[in-house]
Amino acid sequence: MTHEERVRKEIIQNFGEAYKAFGLNKLMGYVVALLIYSPKPLSLDEITRQLGRSKGPVSQIVRRLRDRKLIRKVWEPENNRKDYYEIEPEIFENAFRNNLELIKNNTRIASYIKEKVPADEKVLAGRIDDMLHFYKLMEKHYRNFLAEWIDERNRLMQKTDSKKRK
Amino acid sequence: MTHEERVRKEIIQNFGEAYKAFGLNKLMGYVVALLIYSPKPLSLDEITRQLGRSKGPVSQIVRRLRDRKLIRKVWEPENNRKDYYEIEPEIFENAFRNNLELIKNNTRIASYIKEKVPADEKVLAGRIDDMLHFYKLMEKHYRNFLAEWIDERNRLMQKTDSKKRK
DNA sequence: AACAACGTTTGAAAAAAATCAAACGATAAA
DNA sequence: TTTATCGTTTGATTTTTTTCAAACGTTGTT
């Protein structure tokens, strides 16, 4: 194995662990890493081959990744029997948005408790108020971040475009 | 079962699912919900009894929750044989800090790839730059959020304190 | 010193999740 | 129309995670 290949394998491994740490399937991380690495779209077969897995799980994982908008299907005119996949350009933003949904759920839980809990339960009521405050503020900052990111991304893209025009 | 009990059970369930959605053990969510609910600290026995689990797993989960600073041990003078636990006052902030560590890891991975990847791999290099930008900006906003939250918390606490002084 | 009440550790059992291989259905190619 | 090539679904199998019951060690109590 060349040095390059070893690094590549290690990175794929890292993505797997990172995805697992977020409570997702390792294989999801592998596929994502593979597609980030690949300059051109990959077919399902190539993914299964490169990861040494069988088609079943890869097919399912690919669907979940598409649902989460982390990868996308692309048309390859030369072979329209096969499905080709590439990384979604906004993969990180989209992953973040998925996470935001979890946070919203926390806010929902807090709201729900707040309305259900008798007001004389001072301790509990205080804790829930805390929780609600916290996650609402968190959502606010999440949105701030997204807005600023989109700004920055646009700036970066303009730079890239002007380079291309040269 | 009274209405109150049913709500309580449902909330505990919700916490379990929420924790699972974040890739953690359901039982962690149950214990956390239980302690949020309880105005006074609970012993290990009470936790196991209320959740209908045996001591082994509860003991382990409690340790993990302490490691993550989501709950803490407290001294109950009346019975110093048993360990008593209560919710960590800054549980949400601490949970968030734990999450921040995962984000930092993403940044680390991106930095690592960036330094390892040959500069002529334009596509890959571009994606990694993106990733690095993204997570660095994200860390910045995470810190913003924490700072603002601590501010707000202090303000809220002052209000509570002045009430108490009356 | 012996006992009792704890929390923790451990090996086995149960449950859940991931994985595979094969069958299947759909669609393009022959 | 038949055949070949896909991706998906499915049931069985393997692996991993969770859970339990019992053994263990520690520390306070008698």
Side-chain angles (χ1 to χ4, degrees):
Chain A
M1 209 188 329
T2 70
H3 174 67
E4 286 238 354
E5 280 168 346
R6 235 180 304 114
V7 169
R8 182 165 163 284
K9 199 156 199 171
E10 189 192 352
I11 308 270
I12 291 177
Q13 209 64 34
N14 282 341
F15 264 80
E17 315 250 330
Y19 268 70
K20 197 182 168 191
F22 279 98
L24 302 170
N25 193 316
K26 264 190 177 185
L27 189 49
M28 286 181 75
Y30 294 157
V31 172
V32 163
L34 206 58
L35 291 180
I36 286 182
Y37 244 92
S38 174
K40 58 182 204 304
L42 297 179
S43 69
L44 252 180
D45 277 344
E46 291 176 80
I47 295 173
T48 57
R49 194 177 48 76
Q50 293 208 41
L51 295 178
R53 304 294 172 94
S54 58
K55 289 193 306 178
V58 172
S59 169
Q60 290 177 351
I61 288 291
V62 158
R63 176 151 44 84
R64 287 173 61 187
L65 287 171
R66 284 218 295 161
D67 291 346
R68 289 168 177 270
K69 298 199 192 308
L70 306 187
I71 71 176
R72 67 185 182 189
K73 201 185 277 201
V74 19
W75 279 101
E76 286 288 301
E78 72 232 31
N79 185 351
N80 51 13
R81 291 293 282 283
K82 290 190 178 181
D83 293 346
Y84 282 80
Y85 296 96
E86 67 181 7
I87 206 75
E88 179 79 38
E90 268 93 38
I91 173 178
F92 304 110
E93 180 181 331
N94 293 342
F96 181 80
R97 286 183 193 276
N98 295 334
N99 210 257
L100 176 52
E101 290 307 311
L102 295 184
I103 300 303
K104 281 187 192 167
N105 190 46
N106 289 349
T107 316
R108 246 192 308 277
I109 292 177
S111 301
Y112 179 74
I113 303 180
K114 190 183 166 81
E115 94 187 0
K116 289 287 181 184
V117 149
D120 61 320
E121 297 244 24
K122 293 292 181 196
V123 181
L124 175 52
R127 286 174 183 163
I128 294 304
D129 270 342
D130 228 44
M131 178 171 173
L132 199 52
H133 268 116
F134 186 88
Y135 284 111
K136 278 191 173 165
L137 188 61
M138 190 163 164
E139 283 184 29
K140 191 185 107 186
H141 280 265
Y142 267 41
R143 289 183 221 282
N144 274 165
F145 165 51
L146 275 177
E148 191 174 330
W149 167 250
I150 288 166
D151 253 34
E152 187 166 326
R153 180 158 54 77
N154 287 344
R155 267 202 309 282
L156 287 170
M157 273 177 50
Q158 278 181 4
K159 237 190 277 179
T160 322
D161 287 353
S162 68
K163 252 191 205 165
K164 277 194 189 143
R165 271 198 298 278
K166 277 180 195 171
Chain B
M1 208 186 336
T2 70
H3 174 66
E4 286 238 356
E5 280 169 345
R6 234 180 305 113
V7 169
R8 183 164 163 285
K9 198 156 199 170
E10 189 192 351
I11 307 270
I12 291 177
Q13 209 64 34
N14 282 341
F15 264 81
E17 315 251 329
Y19 268 70
K20 196 182 167 192
F22 279 98
L24 302 170
N25 193 316
K26 264 191 177 182
L27 188 50
M28 286 181 76
Y30 294 158
V31 172
V32 163
L34 206 58
L35 290 181
I36 287 182
Y37 245 91
S38 173
K40 57 182 204 305
L42 297 180
S43 70
L44 253 180
D45 276 345
E46 291 177 81
I47 296 173
T48 58
R49 194 177 49 75
Q50 293 207 42
L51 295 179
R53 303 296 172 94
S54 59
K55 289 194 305 177
V58 172
S59 169
Q60 290 176 352
I61 288 291
V62 157
R63 177 151 44 85
R64 287 173 61 187
L65 286 172
R66 284 218 295 160
D67 290 346
R68 290 167 175 269
K69 300 200 191 306
L70 306 187
I71 71 176
R72 67 184 182 188
K73 200 185 279 199
V74 14
W75 279 102
E76 287 287 302
E78 71 232 29
N79 185 351
N80 51 12
R81 290 293 283 284
K82 289 190 179 181
D83 293 345
Y84 282 80
Y85 295 96
E86 67 180 8
I87 205 74
E88 178 78 39
E90 269 92 38
I91 172 178
F92 305 110
E93 179 181 330
N94 293 341
F96 180 78
R97 286 183 193 276
N98 295 334
N99 210 256
L100 176 52
E101 291 307 310
L102 295 184
I103 299 303
K104 281 187 193 169
N105 191 45
N106 289 349
T107 317
R108 246 192 309 277
I109 292 177
S111 301
Y112 179 75
I113 304 180
K114 189 182 166 80
E115 94 188 0
K116 290 286 182 186
V117 148
D120 61 318
E121 296 244 24
K122 294 293 181 197
V123 180
L124 175 52
R127 286 172 183 164
I128 295 304
D129 270 342
D130 228 45
M131 179 171 172
L132 199 52
H133 268 117
F134 187 88
Y135 284 110
K136 278 191 173 166
L137 188 62
M138 190 163 165
E139 283 185 28
K140 190 185 106 185
H141 281 265
Y142 268 41
R143 290 183 222 282
N144 274 165
F145 164 51
L146 275 177
E148 191 173 332
W149 167 250
I150 289 168
D151 254 34
E152 186 166 327
R153 180 158 55 77
N154 287 344
R155 266 202 310 282
L156 287 170
M157 272 178 51
Q158 278 182 6
K159 237 189 279 180
T160 322
D161 287 353
S162 68
K163 252 190 206 164
K164 278 193 189 145
R165 270 198 299 279
K166 278 179 195 170

